[in-house]
Amino acid sequence: MDGLVDGGLSEYQADAYLTLLERGTSPAVDVAKNCSIPVPRIYDILNELEQMGYVETLDRDKLHARACDPVEFIEDLHHKSARLSDVASEIEDRWEHSPLGEHEINVTKHAQTVLDHAEAKIRDAEWVVDLAVTDRQLADLEGALEAAVANDVVVRASVYSEAGESSILDDHPVTDVVTEIRARSISGPFLAVMDRTVACLAPTERMPDPYGVVVNDELISFIFQWYFQTCLWAVWETHDQRRRYPVRYVSLKEFVCDVYPVWWEDAVISVTVEGIDTTSGEQRVVSGVITDVLFPGKDLTGTAPGLIQLAGQATVVVKTPDRVCTVGGWGALIEDVEARRITIDAIEWPA
């Protein structure tokens, strides 16, 4: 009966109509006795149903009624059902594609919604975009990545190939849209971390109940970025990269891994650090020569540290013409500058 009420009938009308469908042609009084309608009201209810085309009344020794052929009614219900389904789908679609707002964590049940938001955030990036994608997803994001590269953003992509030998890694030149690609042989979730402050995550399509998460929080984004750096980036080989000179880094830890052995051998390394002043919160640029590299477990052999050693504090000391400045990585607290980008200006060996 609830379905008939949803279809536009009152409870009394639905009750009387169902009774007539079950019992066939019946006296009005018997209809009332076999449902919840008071006898004085049954005549008005049957008259209303007749005007609506659901029943017809018959004048005999006493008033009888019977249900009309329901074909038109059934068609009407199907039509209303289709319209309601369309409305529900449109509402759901508009909700899923509406701006998620500035909440710290936004959860959506459609993974594609997360990819759409990631595309918009990639276009707005200023420093770095870290991606864990399939080759197909990389192709879908090409337009947004072109915009990021045009804004001088460093784009690092860890790519899992779904297409085998015809992979986009071979057919689509990385130099167009990505600074560096590393190829993964193991599938994983879609992940995009923009400027290390916004993260978009969607599990693999094999999940029975796909969902997505958009994070607008620097601390939580740090967790996602560290997952990217340790599990999706550092352990995989470079497939191709766009060579840039001078060389630039967007990760202080990666910079230390590469530069420490060279610095230990007495090379004079000149750098420019673009970042944030940890005292004022303003952007700051520092240029000078590296005079020290500090991290836990530092030994006297000059061996390149691993990411585990750098998981805690990692500090680079830069001597500028005016002062000595300490540079830390993302989330630096005790250093003078939180590095966003480090450029190697020169490496010179003593005579």
Side-chain angles (χ1 to χ4, degrees), residues 7-211:
L9 299 184
S10 69
E11 290 188 11
Y12 277 176
Q13 290 169 346
D15 202 358
Y17 182 65
L18 288 174
T19 300
L20 286 171
L21 285 174
E22 292 171 357
R23 300 180 63 84
T25 302
S26 302
V29 174
D30 289 352
V31 175
K33 290 179 180 179
N34 285 279
C35 63
S36 60
I37 304 172
V39 173
R41 286 279 292 130
I42 190 62
Y43 299 99
D44 292 335
I45 297 301
L46 292 175
N47 183 55
E48 292 169 0
L49 287 171
E50 186 172 35
Q51 292 179 3
M52 297 168 68
Y54 296 132
V55 305
E56 60 178 341
T57 58
L58 308 171
D59 288 325
R60 297 179 179 174
D61 54 337
K62 52 185 176 181
L63 185 68
H64 287 61
R66 66 184 178 192
C68 296
D69 187 337
V71 61
E72 293 185 7
F73 181 45
I74 292 173
E75 289 179 356
D76 183 54
L77 287 177
H78 281 308
H79 180 65
K80 288 181 178 178
S81 174
R83 284 197 308 171
L84 289 173
S85 178
D86 290 342
V87 169
S89 297
E90 183 175 353
I91 290 173
E92 183 179 44
D93 185 65
R94 292 192 181 189
W95 167 256
E96 290 295 337
H97 289 86
S98 64
L100 291 180
E102 297 303 320
H103 302 294
E104 286 80 4
I105 300 178
N106 298 276
V107 180
T108 173
K109 69 177 184 178
H110 293 305
Q112 184 58 47
T113 302
V114 172
L115 270 67
D116 292 341
H117 281 275
E119 182 176 5
K121 295 297 184 181
I122 289 170
R123 294 180 183 275
D124 295 335
E126 297 181 359
W127 297 95
V128 58
V129 172
D130 286 333
L131 292 173
V133 291
T134 64
D135 45 11
R136 176 169 49 85
Q137 290 167 341
L138 180 64
D140 292 341
L141 292 172
E142 181 179 357
L145 294 174
E146 286 178 345
V149 170
N151 292 331
D152 202 30
V153 171
V154 173
V155 178
R156 306 191 300 174
S158 174
V159 182
Y160 172 71
S161 174
E162 297 177 305
E165 294 181 358
S166 60
S167 167
I168 189 175
L169 300 186
D170 297 320
D171 297 342
H172 191 84
V174 66
T175 53
D176 289 345
V177 295
V178 181
T179 308
E180 182 177 356
I181 277 184
R182 297 194 180 183
R184 277 185 294 122
S185 60
I186 301 176
S187 65
F190 168 85
L191 177 63
V193 184
M194 281 65 64
D195 292 334
R196 299 175 182 175
T197 58
V198 177
C200 298
L201 175 74
T204 63
E205 296 177 350
R206 293 179 296 175
M207 292 284 290
D209 297 310
Y211 65 91

